[in-house]
């Protein structure tokens, strides 16, 4: 019986079987402008990723035909930055839509494996001190080790309907907890939390909380907005400032904390698969979480390479925070003492 051509892999029709790498696209054959417009990044950055991920992407598989690491990376970058598996993207590098999907999965897992290499808090005292000084230079807020906030990324409804992923807008999403430095470099990224969880509940259960309560520096703090509770290591704004010192503290807090809002806009602007303009991520919550984390890794690598897009205008739909701030102050007396001492020492 004849097999309909539509069910065959285009790669098989074009190249046949054989243990060989399919090098369909050569970076040296195109301009940087083309690479940036089509895949979101210049040649030097793409070559770095090939060196970084090449060994992982060349691992032996059960498939008889291998796609080169270079082609896999281009396919994944095309998806991350456009949010689309459209045929034109596959046509540009000579692979089918099914192969595009496999490439995205392979590159995503390779990047997730390296997340701790690129997303972490500094360890040595000199770097920590520089981190604080950079934050202080923004608006005069001392002792800041990072700014923290949550952002929602829309996903498709899980196959087994799970209401834990339904957020306050009635949409399915992941609530992602992130911390960044004064340049927007991510220091922590937890991308797997269900969208129904409030920001304060995410932080309560997060690895970040365990880190700061058991491991990290005792002479500094994160800055979080009013969706979080005040802690000794997390300074939040005063809900009802009354004195000049309290107003100055809140103004410095807001100006410093704004860095992470800009970072969220940067990530969505660069990685359109997350911004909602092409619809929700069409994957399970686990796979969607990995795609978000992979984009976070690429965000940090791009900043290492000087690819700062903060000056670029945001495009597409931007998912706003789901949080409705509950105006309740912390009952942690030690945290209140720490904030009051900060007010008296630096803002009075």
């Amino acid at each position: 019986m004849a097999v309909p051509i539509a069910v065959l892999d285009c790669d098989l029709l074009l190249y046949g079987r054989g243990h060989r790498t399919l090098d369909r696209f050569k970076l040296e054959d195109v301009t940087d402008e083309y690479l940036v417009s089509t895949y979101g990044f210049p040649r030097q950055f793409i070559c770095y990723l090939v060196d970084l991920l090449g060994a992982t992407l060349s691992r032996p598989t059960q498939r008889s035909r291998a796609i080169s690491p270079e082609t896999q990376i281009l396919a994944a970058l095309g998806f991350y930055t456009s949010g689309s598996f459209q045929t034109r993207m596959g046509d540009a590098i000579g692979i089918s839509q099914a192969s595009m999907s496999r490439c995205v999965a392979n590159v995503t897992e390779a990047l997730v494996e390296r997340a701790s290499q690129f997303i972490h808090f500094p360890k040595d005292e000199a770097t920590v001190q520089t981190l604080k000084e950079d934050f202080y230079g923004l608006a005069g807020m001392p002792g800041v080790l990072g700014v923290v906030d949550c952002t929602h990324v829309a996903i498709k409804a899980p196959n087994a309907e799970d209401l834990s992923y339904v957020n306050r807008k009635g949409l399915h999403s992941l609530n992602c907890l992130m911390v960044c430095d004064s340049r927007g470099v991510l220091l922590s990224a937890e991308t797997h939390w269900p969208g129904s969880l409030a920001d304060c509940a995410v932080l309560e259960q997060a690895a970040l909380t365990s880190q700061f309560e058991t491991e990290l520096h005792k002479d500094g703090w994160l800055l979080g907005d009013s969706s979080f509770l005040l802690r000794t290591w997390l300074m939040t704004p005063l809900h009802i400032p009354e004195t000049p010192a309290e107003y100055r503290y809140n103004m410095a807090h807001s100006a410093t904390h704004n860095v992470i809002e800009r970072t969220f806009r940067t990530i969505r602007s660069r990685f359109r698969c997350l911004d909602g303009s092409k619809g929700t991520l069409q994957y399970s919550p686990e796979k969607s979480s990995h795609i978000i984390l992979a984009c976070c890794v690429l965000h940090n690598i791009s900043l290492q390479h000087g690819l700062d897009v903060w000056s670029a205008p945001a495009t597409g739909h931007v998912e706003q925070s789901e949080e409705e701030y509950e105006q309740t102050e912390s009952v942690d007396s030690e945290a209140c003492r720490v904030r009051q001492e900060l007010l008296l020492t630096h803002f009075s």
Side-chain angles (χ1 to χ4, degrees), residues 181-193:
D181 71 8
S182 63
R183 295 193 306 117
V185 174
L186 295 174
L187 306 175
S188 177
E190 300 184 34
T191 60
H192 62 283
W193 296 103

Side-chain angles (χ1 to χ4, degrees), residues 57 72 76 80 85 99-111 283 287 291:
L57 298 176
Q72 291 184 62
Y80 297 146
F85 277 132
S99 292
M100 279 279 295
S101 182
R102 289 193 295 271
C103 291
V104 171
N106 292 343
V107 174
T108 295
E109 293 311 306
L111 288 167
Y283 296 92
K287 289 184 178 179
I291 287 173

Side-chain angles (χ1 to χ4, degrees), residues 230 232 332-343:
L230 180 72
T232 56
D332 185 335
S333 59
E334 178 61 15
C336 291
R337 185 197 66 77
V338 170
R339 185 170 65 180
Q340 187 62 28
E341 183 176 331
L342 176 60
L343 279 162

Side-chain angles (χ1 to χ4, degrees), residues 77-155:
L77 291 179
F79 169 71
Y80 297 146
T81 59
S82 74
S84 173
F85 277 132
Q86 293 299 317
T87 304
R88 67 172 186 83
M89 185 66 69
D91 288 346
I93 49 179
I95 61 176
S96 65
Q97 185 169 320
S99 292
M100 279 279 295
S101 182
R102 289 193 295 271
C103 291
V104 171
N106 292 343
V107 174
T108 295
E109 293 311 306
L111 288 167
V112 167
E113 287 177 8
R114 289 160 177 78
S116 61
Q117 176 183 344
F118 293 99
I119 303 174
H120 57 80
F121 284 92
K123 300 294 184 182
D124 63 283
E125 291 185 9
T127 308
V128 170
Q129 184 58 35
T130 300
L131 183 66
K132 293 180 183 179
E133 291 172 357
D134 289 344
F135 271 119
Y136 187 79
L138 293 179
M141 180 70 75
V144 180
L145 299 169
V147 290
V148 59
D149 206 350
C150 288
T151 186
H152 285 254
V153 176
I155 63 172

